[in-house]
């Protein structure tokens, strides 16, 4: 925890509908008078956006797996220091598109780099900051990938890779159900949005 704000991360495979849900949640929270910061990983800061380019551009196909894991963690360290912690200290709600669990799922499970090692790297980079709530939008990779025509470097990985990533997110959520909300990303957008808002409001009412 940092300050009096509330930190929500959205996770899930490609095309799960995270951006869509982040927009709907931000709108509902602003209507309720909360100050909301929407941000994303990799990226969120000028240095992070440059790292994002290296990580996602097909130009860098074949990037070494360890270098990839380090770059995601580097972007995250900068992001937490410059954007997320200051926002939480001001009392804002931070809605972040992907966070540590994406590294654990994509680099730990997907690349077989070691789940604990990848998690520890990001915990070190962020000073141990974890979200108050992580929303996992669960989708069969074939359904999620079919929602896009173009593929970035990671989206272009084989389907087995995306299946490992999905299993990673579900394992993480199963291990700490009090900090996670797992929803079926094939449901109607407004059904999903209502479930997320209900969980956030319930968390605030019980605090
Ligand atoms: N990555 C990231 C790592 O490997 N390690 C890390 O540590 C981190 C942080 C980031 C890539 O980097 C990897 C993961 C990713 O491969 P990105 O460009 O930021 O890539 O893309 P994603 O985060 O994957 O986001 P996407 O753009 O793929 O999709 P979203 O945001 O999940 O989905 P959204 O909302 O854009 O919706 C996609 C489409 O589906 C429709 C929308 O209208 C849209 O057309 N849609 C629905 N359709 C049917 N039913 C619903 N309920 C729908 N909701 C949305």
């Amino acid at each position: 925890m940092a300050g009096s704000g509330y930190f929500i991360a959205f996770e899930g495979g490609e095309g799960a509908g995270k951006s869509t849900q982040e927009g709907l949640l931000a709108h509902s929270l602003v209507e309720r008078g909360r100050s909301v910061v929407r941000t994303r990983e990799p990226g969120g800061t000028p240095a992070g956006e440059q790292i994002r380019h290296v990580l996602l551009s097909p130009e860098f196909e074949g990037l070494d797996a360890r270098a990839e894991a380090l770059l995601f963690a580097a972007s995250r360290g900068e992001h937490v220091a410059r954007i997320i912690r200051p926002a939480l200290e001001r009392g804002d709600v931070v809605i972040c598109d992907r966070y540590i669990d994406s590294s654990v799922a994509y680099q730990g499970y997907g690349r077989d780099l070691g789940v604990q090692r990848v998690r520890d790297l990001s915990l070190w980079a962020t000073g141990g900051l974890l979200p108050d709530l992580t929303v996992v939008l669960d989708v069969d990779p074939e359904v999620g990938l079919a929602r896009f025509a173009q593929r970035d470097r990671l989206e272009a990985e084989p389907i087995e890779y995306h299946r490992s990533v999905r299993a990673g997110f579900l394992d993480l959520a199963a291990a700490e159900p009090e900090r996670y909300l797992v929803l079926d990303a094939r449901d109607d957008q407004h059904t999903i949005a209502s479930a997320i808002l209900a969980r956030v409001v319930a968390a605030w009412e019980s605090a």
Side-chain angles (χ1 to χ4, degrees), residues 16-17 20-21 24 147 184-196:
T20 305
Q21 291 303 324
L24 292 170
R147 290 177 177 173
D184 186 337
R186 291 167 308 171
D187 283 346
D188 165 74
Q189 292 178 14
H190 296 286
T191 306
I192 298 172
S194 302
I196 297 170

Side-chain angles (χ1 to χ4, degrees), residues 10-22 38 40-43 52 55-56 68-69 72-73 75-76 97-107 111 118 122 137 143-145 147-148 152-156 161-162 165 169 184-190 192:
F10 279 74
E11 300 281 9
E14 314 298 330
K18 298 180 303 302
S19 310
T20 305
Q21 291 303 324
E22 287 152 17
R38 257 188 89 181
R40 69 170 181 182
E41 292 199 354
R52 179 183 176 91
L55 282 165
L56 301 189
E68 179 185 282
F72 277 115
S75 167
R76 181 163 300 126
D97 190 322
R98 301 192 178 280
Y99 190 61
I100 293 179
D101 291 357
S102 279
S103 284
V104 175
Y106 281 81
Q107 281 69 53
R111 299 271 189 239
V118 169
S122 274
L137 296 178
V143 173
L145 287 165
R147 290 177 177 173
F148 293 105
D152 65 30
R153 193 178 63 80
L154 285 147
E155 286 163 355
Y161 174 81
H162 292 287
V165 168
F169 284 127
D184 186 337
R186 291 167 308 171
D187 283 346
D188 165 74
Q189 292 178 14
H190 296 286
I192 298 172

Side-chain angles (χ1 to χ4, degrees), residues 11 28 41 50 54 63 73 87 98 134 172-173 178-179 192:
E11 300 281 9
S28 299
E41 292 199 354
Q50 297 221 14
V54 172
L63 183 70
R98 301 192 178 280
T134 297
L172 290 169
E178 65 289 347
R179 225 167 43 75
I192 298 172

Side-chain angles (χ1 to χ4, degrees), residues 74-157:
S75 167
R76 181 163 300 126
E78 170 79 352
H79 190 209
V80 166
R82 294 198 185 278
I83 306 292
I84 299 181
R85 270 191 201 278
L88 294 173
E89 278 158 12
R90 287 194 303 269
D92 294 348
V93 179
V94 175
I95 298 179
C96 189
D97 190 322
R98 301 192 178 280
Y99 190 61
I100 293 179
D101 291 357
S102 279
S103 284
V104 175
Y106 281 81
Q107 281 69 53
Y109 282 76
R111 299 271 189 239
D112 229 5
L113 287 178
V115 166
Q116 197 57 47
R117 183 179 295 125
V118 169
R119 183 176 155 88
D120 286 347
L121 182 63
S122 274
L123 287 174
W124 178 75
T126 61
L129 182 71
L130 291 174
D132 297 295
L133 174 66
T134 297
V135 177
V136 176
L137 296 178
D138 178 49
V139 70
D140 182 321
E142 290 185 9
V143 173
L145 287 165
R147 290 177 177 173
F148 293 105
Q150 286 199 316
R151 302 259 187 282
D152 65 30
R153 193 178 63 80
L154 285 147
E155 286 163 355
E157 289 288 338

Side-chain angles (χ1 to χ4, degrees), residues 163-184:
R163 291 204 181 101
S164 302
V165 168
R166 181 188 191 188
F169 284 127
L170 293 177
D171 281 356
L172 290 169
E176 279 183 276
E178 65 289 347
R179 225 167 43 75
Y180 284 80
L181 174 64
V182 181
L183 296 170
D184 186 337

